[in-house]
Amino acid sequence: MEPLWSGVSEEVEYGGEVDVLVQGAVAFPGRYTVPYNCTYGELFALAGAECAAGYDPDEPLRFEDAVLSGGRLIVYIVV
């Protein structure tokens, strides 16, 4: 069978904004557009959640699991 996905290497200019989808145990789940240097603490404050285990509230968002869609980076976080 063919794989459903394939790895892609893209370079995206640092700066600007990134879209983050936050789902799970948060008061306001949804899609947020935040600056690249947004911290997990700032993001979780927008979503109405305490900073989840495994996330340092002072650390900027990581992009290891980001998806490039329509020329925009989208990070998915399930709390």
Side-chain angles (χ1 to χ4, degrees):
M1 293 186 68
E2 294 286 321
L4 298 176
W5 62 273
S6 64
V8 176
S9 179
E10 290 277 338
E11 286 190 24
V12 177
E13 184 177 332
Y14 182 78
E17 298 175 331
V18 63
D19 291 334
V20 183
L21 266 164
V22 181
Q23 299 293 317
V26 296
F28 311 109
R31 186 176 185 150
Y32 296 91
T33 301
V34 297
Y36 275 111
N37 62 352
C38 179
T39 65
Y40 284 101
E42 293 167 332
L43 175 65
F44 289 137
L46 288 173
E50 293 184 25
C51 199
Y55 295 99
D56 180 347
D58 297 323
E59 183 179 323
L61 296 174
R62 296 183 304 261
F63 299 100
E64 292 93 5
D65 297 321
V67 175
L68 186 61
S69 175
R72 293 201 48 97
L73 277 178
I74 301 175
V75 178
Y76 294 91
I77 297 177
V78 178
V79 179

